[in-house]
Amino acid sequence: MTDYPKLGLYIDGEWLRGDGRAAQAVLNPATGETLAELPVASIADLDRALAAAQRGFETWRVTPADQRFAIMMKAAALIRERAEHIARIVTIEEGKPFAEAKGEVVAGAGLLEFHAGETMRIFGRVMQRPSGTRSMVLHQPVGPVAAFCAWNFPALNVIRKIAPAIAAGCSIILKPSEETPGSAVEVMRCLQDAGLPGNVAQIVFGVPDQISRHLLASPVTRKLSFTGSVPVGKQLMKLAADTVMKMTMELGGHSPVLVFDDCDLEKTLDTLVTHKFRNAGQVCVAPTRFHVQEGIYEKFAAGFAERTRAMTVGNGLESGTHMGPLANPRRPDAMAAMIENAQKAGARLLAGGARRDGGGFFFEPTVIADVPLEASAMNEEPFGPLALLRPFKTIDDAIAEANRLPFGLAAYAFTEQGRRQNRLAEELEAGMVAINGVRLTWPDSPFGGVKESGFGSEDGPEGIQNHMITKAVHIV
C-alpha cells in the first residue's frame, strides 16, 4: 500500500532496516492483509541505542530551554502540516475511522506544544536562610527513559511518551507497539526533521519481553514509562525494581458510568453511545459499566440499544463509518467469549453481539443489560465495543459498585444535582472523573490512575515533573 511508510528502527539518528534482522508482519485490521514487514531489534541494536541515549542525555540536559522549545514547536508544526497523511496511516494500521485518527494526530501536536511551553517553566526555589548562606531546590532531568506504549492510539501514545521526556531534558528509547509501527515512524520523522538530535529520541521494535528486560536491566536507564495492561505493568515494575528507577504506569481501567434519574436523558444517551464506541471501545478510559438509576433504567437501555443499532461498522477510510474493526484477531474472540459468559449468567442481549464478515477483524457494537456481577465482563476490562448495563437504587449503591473493582483510571457521572456532583467528585476512586461530560484529556491536565490502574501522571505540568529529580542544595 503506497500510503504506508517504509518501516525501520531509529537508532542514533539512523534508520535501520534489513541487514539480516528478523522481521514480522504488520496487518491491516480492516482486511487482514499484510501491510509491511517490520524489522526486529537485536541485542546489539539495543546496546547501541542505550549508548546513544546516554550520550544524548549528557548533551540534551544542558541544551538551553529555548532551544528545546524551538525544536518541539517545529515538530508540532510539522505534525499539523502532515496530519492527514499521518491520520491515514493510523487508520490503515489500527482501524479507527479517519476523522477519529485525524483528531488524535492534532491532539498529539497540541500536547507537544504544551510540553514545549513547559520547558520554560521548570522552576526551583530559594529558601530563607541567614545572610551569607543559601538553600535552594533544583529540579533536574532524571536521565534516559525507556518507554513502552500501546497500539490503541498509535500517534498520540508515542507523543505522550516523548514530549514530557525531551521537554524535561531527558533522552528516551521508545518501544511502540509492533502492531501499529507506521504512526510512530511518521511522528519520529517529524521530530527528526525539526532538528531533534538522533540520540535524544530513538525507537526500537521487537520481542517485547526481550526489549524490556534488556533496557530495564541497564544502568543507563533511569526511568520507566509504560502504557498497557495491568499484568504486563506489574511485570515491568518488578524488572525496574532491580535498579530502583523512577516509574510512571498508565495501566488498564474498567470505567464506571453513574446515570442518575435527574440527568438530561436524551443528551446523556447521545454523548455516551458515541463515546462508548469511539475506537471500537479500545480505549483505556472507555465508559464500560453503566449503572443507571432504577426509574430510568429501561428507558436508558432502550435508547442506548436503539442508537447502537444505528451505527455503521466498516473500513475506517470509508465515509460514513462510525466504528472500524478491532485492532487484531485476538479481540473479536475475547468479545465473543465475554458475551457468551454474560448471557449464560442471565444477561439480556439488546444489540449486536456477533462478528461481522468482510475479511477483517470486525465485531458489532454490543449492548448487554442486567449483567450479573459474577460475569467475567463485569470484572475484567473488555477493551472492546461492549456496553454493560445494570440498575441501581441509591447513590450509596452506585458509589459502592463503581469502586468495587481494583481499577481506578476513569469514572463518569451524569446528574444535575450540585451536592451529588460534589460527593461523586470526592468519593469515586479514579484518577480522572468527568461529570455531565466525557472528555478527560487536556494538554494541561494530568492523565493517570489510582489503585491497579497505575501511578504517576502524564500530560499537564505533572508529566514533566515525573521526568525530574528533586535536589536540595545548601551553601554555607
Side-chain angles (χ1 to χ4, degrees), residues 154-197:
L156 182 60
N157 283 343
V158 166
I159 296 169
R160 181 169 271 153
K161 296 301 180 191
I162 293 175
I166 63 176
C170 297
S171 59
I172 181 170
I173 303 173
L174 177 71
K175 193 205 79 64
S177 170
E178 286 72 26
E179 293 176 314
T180 54
S183 305
V185 166
E186 291 303 303
V187 168
M188 187 60 75
R189 287 191 191 283
C190 291
L191 290 160
Q192 181 185 23
D193 292 347
L196 184 72

Side-chain angles (χ1 to χ4, degrees), residues 59 90 101 141 174 182 242 254 443:
T59 57
V90 170
L174 177 71
D242 286 341
H254 202 317

Side-chain angles (χ1 to χ4, degrees), residues 10-354:
Y10 184 65
I11 297 176
D12 203 9
E14 244 189 293
W15 289 100
L16 304 175
R17 306 177 183 93
D19 297 328
R21 292 180 179 85
Q24 61 185 70
V26 180
L27 304 181
N28 182 334
T31 65
E33 297 173 348
T34 297
L35 290 167
E37 293 293 325
L38 177 68
V40 172
S42 65
I43 293 299
D45 290 326
L46 299 179
D47 285 337
R48 181 181 173 189
L50 285 164
Q54 182 61 54
R55 285 186 280 104
F57 174 61
E58 289 166 2
T59 57
W60 188 246
R61 66 180 301 183
V62 296
T63 299
D66 60 341
Q67 293 182 28
R68 299 204 302 271
F69 169 84
I71 289 172
M72 293 177 70
M73 289 297 290
K74 185 174 181 181
L78 289 172
I79 290 171
R80 290 188 184 278
E81 181 182 310
R82 303 172 188 177
E84 294 215 354
H85 169 67
I86 299 173
R88 188 172 175 84
I89 292 166
V90 170
T91 294
I92 289 170
E93 67 181 6
E94 198 275 342
K96 67 183 65 176
F98 178 77
E100 284 186 29
K102 187 173 179 182
E104 172 186 339
V105 174
V106 171
L111 190 59
L112 192 57
E113 289 163 347
F114 173 80
H115 283 302
E118 286 298 287
T119 63
M120 311 299 289
R121 293 185 286 271
I122 300 174
F123 304 126
R125 69 180 187 271
V126 177
M127 295 163 285
Q128 290 292 334
R129 292 294 183 266
S131 178
T133 67
R134 176 165 294 178
S135 290
M136 54 187 169
V137 176
L138 305 177
H139 297 292
Q140 299 177 316
V142 66
V145 178
F148 306 84
C149 56
W151 45 260
N152 58 335
F153 287 86
L156 182 60
N157 283 343
V158 166
I159 296 169
R160 181 169 271 153
K161 296 301 180 191
I162 293 175
I166 63 176
C170 297
S171 59
I172 181 170
I173 303 173
L174 177 71
K175 193 205 79 64
S177 170
E178 286 72 26
E179 293 176 314
T180 54
S183 305
V185 166
E186 291 303 303
V187 168
M188 187 60 75
R189 287 191 191 283
C190 291
L191 290 160
Q192 181 185 23
D193 292 347
L196 184 72
N199 52 17
V200 171
Q202 307 174 83
I203 54 173
V204 296
F205 300 99
V207 180
D209 183 64
Q210 180 186 68
I211 291 176
S212 60
R213 287 181 183 278
H214 198 77
L215 295 184
L216 297 181
S218 171
V220 169
T221 306
R222 296 310 312 146
K223 156 123 187 172
L224 162 64
S225 182
F226 174 72
T227 297
S229 70
V230 175
V232 174
K234 289 180 178 180
Q235 178 62 27
L236 293 180
M237 282 189 273
K238 292 175 183 176
L239 296 175
D242 286 341
T243 53
V244 196
M245 68 179 64
K246 197 175 183 73
M247 289 183 269
T248 298
M249 308 299 289
E250 196 268 276
L251 308 180
H254 202 317
S255 302
V257 187
L258 309 187
V259 182
F260 292 84
D261 57 13
D262 67 331
C263 75
D264 182 332
L265 184 57
E266 296 303 312
K267 181 180 178 182
T268 298
L269 282 166
D270 289 341
T271 299
L272 285 176
V273 172
T274 299
H275 200 62
K276 167 66 237 180
F277 299 115
R278 179 174 66 111
N279 198 22
Q282 300 168 126
V283 182
C284 55
V285 296
T288 301
R289 294 178 289 143
F290 295 83
H291 303 287
V292 185
Q293 204 154 22
E294 288 178 339
I296 60 169
Y297 177 69
E298 290 298 339
K299 189 174 181 181
F300 179 93
F304 204 112
E306 180 184 7
R307 287 165 172 79
T308 299
R309 286 191 291 267
M311 297 190 74
T312 301
V313 178
N315 190 314
L317 294 178
E318 296 173 357
S319 62
T321 295
H322 297 125
M323 193 183 92
L326 303 189
N328 56 58
R330 303 185 301 276
R331 302 314 306 152
D333 291 341
M335 292 301 100
M338 283 189 166
I339 293 166
E340 181 182 6
N341 175 270
Q343 287 183 290
K344 284 182 178 178
R348 288 186 289 151
L349 178 65
L350 301 185

Side-chain angles (χ1 to χ4, degrees), residues 415-448:
T415 177
E416 297 298 324
Q417 188 185 103
R419 287 184 183 276
R420 184 183 288 154
Q421 292 172 358
N422 288 331
R423 182 178 173 190
L424 293 168
E426 289 283 342
E427 296 186 28
L428 288 174
E429 296 173 354
M432 297 169 287
V433 177
I435 297 177
N436 293 334
V438 290
R439 184 168 178 181
L440 296 165
T441 305
W442 304 82
D444 60 354
S445 178
F447 187 97

